[in-house]
Amino acid sequence: MIDYTEKIPNNVDLGRDRVLQRALEHWQPAYMSWWYDMGPNESHNYEVYLRTATSVEPDGWAQFGYVRMPEYRWGIFLQPRDVNRQVNFGMHKGTPSWQEVPGEYRSTLRRVIVTQGDTEPASVEQQRMLGMCCPSLYDLRNIFQVNVEEGRHLWAMVYLLHRYFGRDGREEAEALLERRSGDADNPRILGAFNEPTPDWLAFYMFTFFTDRDGKFQLCALAESGFDPLARTCRFMLTEEAHHMFVGESGVSRIIQRTCEVMNEHKVEAPSDVRALGVIDLQTMQRYLNFHFSVTIDLFGSDASSNAATYYTTGLKGRYEETKIEDDHVLSDAEYPVFEVSGNKIVKKSVPALTALNERLRDDYIGEIQGGVDRWNRIIEKSGIPFRLVLPHKGFHRAIGNFAGHCISPNGEVLTEEAWKNRQHEWLPSAADQAFVQSLMIGRVVEPGKFANWIAPPIRGINQQPLNFQYVRFN
Ligand code: BYC
């Protein structure tokens, strides 16, 4: 169980290490000041029906109740230690997992932890204005739940930095509160975390696509030979599942509502659909194209010596590493990657070790396709002859082999001119964004009411009814 009488709730026996405890208690006010500045706008007096972790056991961790968000108990929770756990891949395979950071991997490991940690506050910053135009109290509560948990994920990485990386770690922890999403001088580290999330369609797409990158990266880090990192990522994954649910069900509900309105009024043309105050499926496809492409960039280059090093040294594994049947060393294995040659995309085999980013990206795309299929079933059931499709993985890429090439969603290699002429068909235009923004007028806060452009969910939170007062504004 987690001790909530402590100033910093934790299950790592923080009280026994006074120096560490003091260092984190010193960081805590800086974190709170960041939350007041960059956390959800105008939310500080609201009481929100949130779940809080009470135990790290899979079946009993959630407790629901009203919380003023600045009083949310952000803390440090690691999955319990398995004393027999080993390093399961790379050159140290078969040796006991590490409880301290091996000196030679210190800077590499720190970099991975900082990169992971940086995404968490970034997403809170990206979403901070969305509460002002929420489509319902239910949705408002969900975004706040996501935001407080991203805050906790930052705590998770900051604990590792403070506990295992000494002074450098403390400096990195401070810098995590200084960078800002989209800031020209001091931006967040990874590309997608500097893109704005200006409306709720973008928010649901982000939680469906980008939070799922979080899931896959955390799964790879949960395999780490550095046991405290593995254990903290395992617990973070239990929280991540709800974020992806918010994204998938949010997009589903928008699709559902659009299809209902299209059928009721027997309209098909996007302009007619828009005139009825719902989002046309074509615009949803363009949002999907955008969020998918910027998110798959987050997996890094197709061929990466960094990724090979992370793996060989036992720092970052593959998705479900221990379920894969091979030698877990990959010295001779190969993996297919794609590149542009002339005006064609060609496949080539490269050492599997260097292609680990690409492999994780492919695992991710497989899971994403399942979600898109579920969205299409809603459209199909409505009898509407439209299907959402994932673009080719070379489409609109800024990292890796496709960066600098103009690839259509179908995977054709285009000239720059041809791309420019057609990109508005494939990516959200200023007009698309302005239209979606035009629906984000004010917020819907009457219990049980939903904005016109989104269907209600099937059920409420924690078996509460849909007209429950999920947020009290005071
Ligand atoms: N934007 O060798 P390469 C989440 C840099 S999301 C900008 O291909 P590597 C969440 C790269 O850093 C999960 N720069 O990359 C979701 C490197 O820089 P240096 C976050 C990029 O190192 C929603 C250079 O390009 N967690 O949790 O193999 C809400 C060469 O790159 C980008 C992690 O990412 C980019 N997209 O792999 C809240 C896990 N991509 O060394 C939270 C930790 C690459 O030249 N991170 N670069 O300065 C990693 O494992 C690796 O850093 C990456 C990149 C997979 C991201």
Side-chain angles (χ1 to χ4, degrees):
M1 293 301 275
I2 295 161
D3 184 356
Y4 276 98
T5 61
E6 301 257 354
K7 193 165 174 194
I8 300 173
N10 70 90
N11 70 347
V12 292
D13 215 356
L14 194 57
R16 270 196 12 201
D17 186 340
R18 305 297 293 173
V19 175
L20 172 64
Q21 189 179 30
R22 266 201 301 277
L24 283 166
E25 284 177 4
H26 186 74
W27 186 80
Q28 194 175 33
Y31 170 81
M32 287 312 299
S33 139
W34 168 82
W35 179 269
Y36 274 105
D37 288 349
M38 299 313 294
N41 193 44
E42 287 190 7
S43 67
H44 305 314
N45 281 322
Y46 303 170
E47 287 177 315
V48 188
Y49 187 68
L50 294 177
R51 69 172 185 185
T52 305
T54 49
S55 141
V56 291
E57 301 306 324
D59 54 347
W61 74 274
Q63 183 189 307
F64 287 83
Y66 285 101
V67 180
R68 275 182 68 245
M69 276 193 293
E71 289 161 14
Y72 183 80
R73 303 306 313 279
W74 285 286
I76 300 157
F77 314 126
L78 271 63
Q79 200 156 79
R81 184 176 161 198
D82 167 3
V83 289
N84 297 319
R85 184 166 181 268
Q86 298 188 332
V87 183
N88 294 315
F89 57 91
M91 64 201 244
H92 304 292
K93 185 177 158 241
T95 61
S97 62
W98 313 307
Q99 301 308 317
E100 294 295 330
V101 179
E104 64 272 38
Y105 305 147
R106 212 179 140 80
S107 66
T108 326
L109 200 49
R110 192 185 62 215
R111 207 172 75 158
V112 173
I113 292 171
V114 166
T115 308
Q116 177 62 49
D118 191 68
T119 62
E120 316 289 0
S123 67
V124 175
E125 292 164 5
Q126 288 170 296
Q127 296 162 14
R128 70 182 295 265
M129 297 310 288
L130 290 175
M132 309 307 289
C133 54
C134 63
S136 73
L137 277 185
Y138 165 92
D139 291 280
L140 186 62
R141 176 265 169 212
N142 278 350
I143 194 172
F144 289 162
Q145 181 75 57
V146 169
N147 293 157
V148 292
E149 287 175 355
E150 301 300 8
R152 208 204 63 74
H153 291 182
L154 171 61
W155 271 92
M157 293 300 123
V158 164
Y159 164 72
L160 295 177
L161 290 169
H162 272 245
R163 165 70 178 81
Y164 297 98
F165 295 89
R167 188 183 164 162
D168 303 352
R170 289 194 294 278
E171 283 171 6
E172 293 284 12
E174 276 166 34
L176 285 169
L177 296 174
E178 285 159 10
R179 284 186 286 274
R180 289 286 180 272
S181 174
D183 189 295
D185 300 323
N186 197 11
R188 292 295 173 184
I189 297 170
L190 297 173
F193 293 90
N194 288 304
E195 298 286 346
T197 310
D199 57 64
W200 281 76
L201 178 58
F203 168 67
Y204 295 129
M205 291 283 179
F206 182 94
T207 37
F208 177 76
F209 285 105
T210 311
D211 278 74
R212 197 177 307 272
D213 169 48
K215 169 186 167 179
F216 278 78
Q217 297 293 346
L218 290 174
C219 282
L221 296 175
E223 302 290 345
S224 183
F226 178 48
D227 201 40
L229 175 62
R231 287 164 54 210
T232 197
C233 289
R234 286 257 169 255
F235 184 67
M236 289 162 77
L237 280 163
T238 60
E239 293 166 319
E240 207 64 68
H242 172 256
H243 306 185
M244 292 179 296
F245 159 80
V246 168
E248 181 170 338
S249 60
V251 175
S252 296
R253 290 162 51 211
I254 299 180
I255 293 174
Q256 172 84 39
R257 181 67 189 137
T258 296
C259 292
E260 279 165 16
V261 170
M262 286 172 75
N263 281 339
E264 195 182 317
H265 294 268
K266 304 198 171 28
V267 291
E268 263 177 32
S271 56
D272 296 339
V273 174
R274 286 183 178 195
L276 294 162
V278 294
I279 304 172
D280 51 294
L281 298 170
Q282 291 77 358
T283 296
M284 284 189 237
Q285 175 69 60
R286 289 190 284 276
Y287 269 65
L288 179 160
N289 291 348
F290 174 78
H291 286 271
F292 176 71
S293 56
V294 299
T295 303
I296 59 176
D297 267 345
L298 291 174
F299 289 83
S301 307
D302 320 44
S304 163
S305 59
N306 285 344
T309 307
Y310 296 158
Y311 188 83
T312 305
T313 54
L315 303 181
K316 182 178 174 188
R318 289 171 292 177
Y319 180 59
E320 303 200 318
E321 181 70 44
T322 49
K323 293 189 189 157
I324 301 172
E325 294 204 14
D326 63 11
D327 66 0
H328 302 276
V329 182
L330 303 181
S331 32
D332 303 318
E334 300 210 317
Y335 195 83
V337 299
F338 293 85
E339 62 182 23
V340 179
S341 167
N343 59 0
K344 281 209 175 61
I345 294 175
V346 294
K347 187 169 164 177
K348 82 173 191 192
S349 242
V350 297
L353 266 182
T354 61
L356 285 165
N357 288 342
E358 185 68 359
R359 180 182 173 127
L360 196 60
R361 183 165 25 238
D362 288 340
D363 290 336
Y364 165 88
I365 292 174
E367 200 174 280
I368 285 289
Q369 183 65 58
V372 174
D373 292 344
R374 288 189 288 278
W375 290 339
N376 277 331
R377 283 206 278 281
I378 303 172
I379 309 176
E380 197 180 348
K381 267 195 187 159
S382 308
I384 293 168
F386 183 95
R387 296 294 175 265
L388 294 165
V389 280
L390 283 183
H392 187 277
K393 69 176 165 182
F395 170 75
H396 188 235
R397 291 289 302 282
I399 302 274
N401 289 350
F402 292 109
H405 293 284
C406 299
I407 314 288
S408 76
N410 292 333
E412 302 143 305
V413 181
L414 303 179
T415 61
E416 204 177 326
E417 200 191 345
W419 163 269
K420 279 195 177 137
N421 286 336
R422 299 196 58 192
Q423 61 166 325
H424 68 280
E425 293 172 35
W426 301 325
L427 290 168
S429 64
D432 291 335
Q433 276 162 345
F435 167 69
V436 178
Q437 200 61 54
S438 76
L439 301 176
M440 308 286 134
I441 29 159
R443 50 187 190 184
V444 179
V445 291
E446 195 182 315
K449 281 258 171 336
F450 289 82
N452 178 55
W453 48 269
I454 189 164
I458 294 166
R459 62 183 71 85
I461 302 293
N462 191 34
Q463 292 163 359
Q464 298 292 356
L466 290 188
N467 63 0
F468 184 71
Q469 186 81 43
Y470 288 105
V471 179
R472 295 178 185 147
F473 293 99
N474 297 322

